[in-house]
Amino acid sequence: MRASRSGPSSVDGMDTHSAPPSGGTALVVGATGISGAALCRRLVADGWRVLGLSRRSPSSVEGVEPVLADLTDAEALADSLASYAPTHVFLCAWARQETEEQNIEVNAGIVRDVLAAVRPAGSVRHVALVTGLKHYLGPFEAYGKGEMPDTPFHEDEERLPYPNFYYAQEDEVLAASERDGFTWSVHRAHTMVGRAVGNAMNMAQTLAAYAAICRETGRPFTFPGSQTQWDGLTDVTDADLLADQLAWAATEPAAADTAFNTANGDVFRWRWLWPRLAERLGVEWEGYADAPRPLEEQMVDAAEVWSVIARREGLVADDVDRVASWWHTDADLGREMECLTDQTRSRERGWTGYRSTLASFLDTVDALEAERVVPQVR
């Protein structure tokens, strides 16, 4: 089954290209991650000068100038960025820690140190921060606990009474904006659909790897999550669509100094999507039955099986942990509450981006196969 859909770099329902601002230089922090890589592709296509900041390896996007630095080393950041004068900074990176206290210390520090490193040039006009729905659901330590806001989530919901590194990151951006005079935007993405080897928040890539292991072992493609997620309505965020919203907000005066939810604009039920995804991935499927069946339990032997598949098929990574994030997909699909986001604010301010979720998943699988991240379905 193949749905009629647009190409991997297009987004349904809008013109996805616009000219960069005069003298525009974009610094993408986390250029090799799922959102950062999509943003790099978008900005290069639009004609921006793009600096791709990452820790170990340069961006694979042609046209991105590599800037290598450890985000947790303030001195190294300052040295690496000293010769650049970015006009727009896109913060698309975070580093997961053991506790939320550590998440706050490290990830707020990343934002603070990046903005301090670019401050001497006096060139920054806009800073964009990518966060997510933990803004409304709470940190992993208190995920979905206590009293949650009603869905769909709105950007003006009061903060939850828990420490949250998203809040700390926002506060760092706002403080630097007041000090240095740039505009800002925050983009709260839902579950991301895209591609980036080594990224920890990548559902489509995780499910494609899961399906490959199911094909190899003859197991069914079993929905791992809760009955609430299987039966209820939800939405997700295409990484290319997020890139479009980031590029729009960076230069649109009506988007300045506010936060936006970012989701595809359609809604779906997993009981509808799961069989369609299974057909594309060439596996027999099973839905929810009696209790969740988490991927972390199903995939205890994944490392060995994936290594065999990767060597035989010539894949780019033979370490399954660089391709799949069982824990994160389990967290998203195991929720016991409905998760939907309201898109009114961005619509009223002029951004009308839309992406078919089915097309998003199918296009991503096509791209992952073409890039040899997952084996091709025969």
Side-chain angles (χ1 to χ4, degrees):
M1 182 272 305
R2 294 274 182 158
S4 175
R5 58 196 193 272
S6 55
S9 64
S10 66
V11 177
D12 305 333
M14 70 177 295
D15 178 3
T16 64
H17 296 283
S18 59
S22 176
T25 297
L27 173 64
V28 179
V29 180
T32 58
I34 186 170
S35 58
L39 180 61
C40 284
R41 291 191 293 268
R42 161 65 198 253
L43 295 176
V44 168
D46 283 358
W48 289 70
R49 181 190 182 194
V50 181
L51 310 173
L53 177 60
S54 56
R55 182 171 59 176
R56 294 192 185 93
S57 57
S59 169
S60 61
V61 178
E62 186 175 355
V64 174
E65 300 176 40
V67 181
L68 299 182
D70 184 347
L71 289 172
T72 62
D73 185 333
E75 185 175 341
L77 272 173
D79 289 344
S80 295
L81 293 170
S83 61
Y84 299 105
T87 58
H88 295 71
V89 178
F90 299 90
L91 299 161
C92 304
W94 73 292
R96 189 188 184 199
Q97 307 299 310
E98 289 295 322
T99 68
E100 194 61 16
E101 181 180 355
Q102 293 170 325
N103 274 327
I104 291 170
E105 179 181 358
V106 171
N107 291 290
I110 287 172
V111 172
R112 183 170 58 252
D113 292 342
V114 167
L115 298 182
V118 297
R119 188 185 187 198
S123 57
V124 177
R125 306 175 198 169
H126 183 84
V127 172
L129 171 68
V130 176
T131 64
L133 291 203
K134 288 191 293 297
H135 185 94
Y136 307 112
L137 294 168
F140 289 119
E141 294 174 8
Y143 196 62
K145 297 178 181 177
E147 186 173 348
M148 295 288 103
D150 284 338
T151 55
F153 299 129
H154 298 83
E155 293 93 341
D156 58 0
E157 310 282 1
E158 292 186 7
R159 290 182 173 185
L160 298 174
Y162 309 109
N164 191 320
F165 81 86
Y166 284 166
Y167 301 163
Q169 287 183 310
E170 284 191 8
D171 290 344
E172 292 291 346
V173 171
L174 268 62
S177 172
E178 292 178 2
R179 180 191 68 207
D180 298 335
F182 55 74
T183 61
W184 58 269
S185 58
V186 174
H187 304 261
R188 298 172 186 159
H190 198 171
T191 299
M192 202 83 71
V193 177
R195 58 196 200 275
V197 173
N199 186 267
M201 304 172 71
N202 199 337
M203 178 178 282
Q205 191 169 287
T206 295
L207 293 179
Y210 171 45
I213 292 170
C214 288
R215 293 196 303 272
E216 184 76 8
T217 59
R219 304 171 191 170
F221 185 65
T222 302
F223 182 74
S226 68
Q227 185 169 10
T228 300
Q229 293 304 307
W230 180 250
D231 290 332
L233 287 172
T234 192
D235 56 20
V236 296
T237 303
D238 184 274
D240 289 338
L241 187 75
L242 171 61
D244 282 331
Q245 192 190 61
L246 284 161
W248 163 78
T251 58
E252 170 54 56
D257 302 335
T258 194
F260 296 101
N261 291 331
T262 314
N264 286 352
D266 63 358
V267 296
F268 68 97
R269 301 181 199 275
W270 276 106
R271 70 187 188 198
W272 173 85
L273 183 62
W274 198 254
R276 289 161 173 79
L277 187 57
E279 185 173 358
R280 168 62 183 87
L281 293 169
V283 286
E284 298 295 322
W285 64 275
E286 290 183 4
Y288 177 85
D290 301 324
R293 289 172 281 183
L295 290 175
E296 285 200 302
E297 296 177 6
Q298 293 189 50
M299 294 287 100
V300 291
D301 60 345
E304 182 178 349
V305 176
W306 184 262
S307 180
V308 171
I309 296 171
R311 288 196 301 269
R312 185 183 68 228
E313 303 293 334
L315 303 183
V316 298
D318 61 6
D319 180 358
V320 73
D321 290 336
R322 298 197 68 237
V323 178
S325 47
W326 315 125
W327 69 271
H328 193 267
T329 294
D330 282 342
D332 281 352
L333 296 183
R335 297 169 181 157
E336 291 293 352
M337 79 289 290
E338 181 183 72
C339 292
L340 295 168
T341 55
D342 182 78
Q343 305 292 300
T344 302
R345 178 175 290 180
S346 57
R347 302 292 186 259
E348 289 181 339
R349 299 191 185 207
W351 187 75
T352 57
Y354 165 81
R355 186 73 162 106
S356 158
T357 290
L358 177 59
S360 178
F361 272 97
L362 299 182
D363 285 344
T364 299
V365 172
D366 288 349
L368 292 170
E369 290 181 350
E371 295 169 6
R372 308 304 299 163
V373 177
V374 299
Q376 191 166 24
V377 176
R378 295 182 173 86

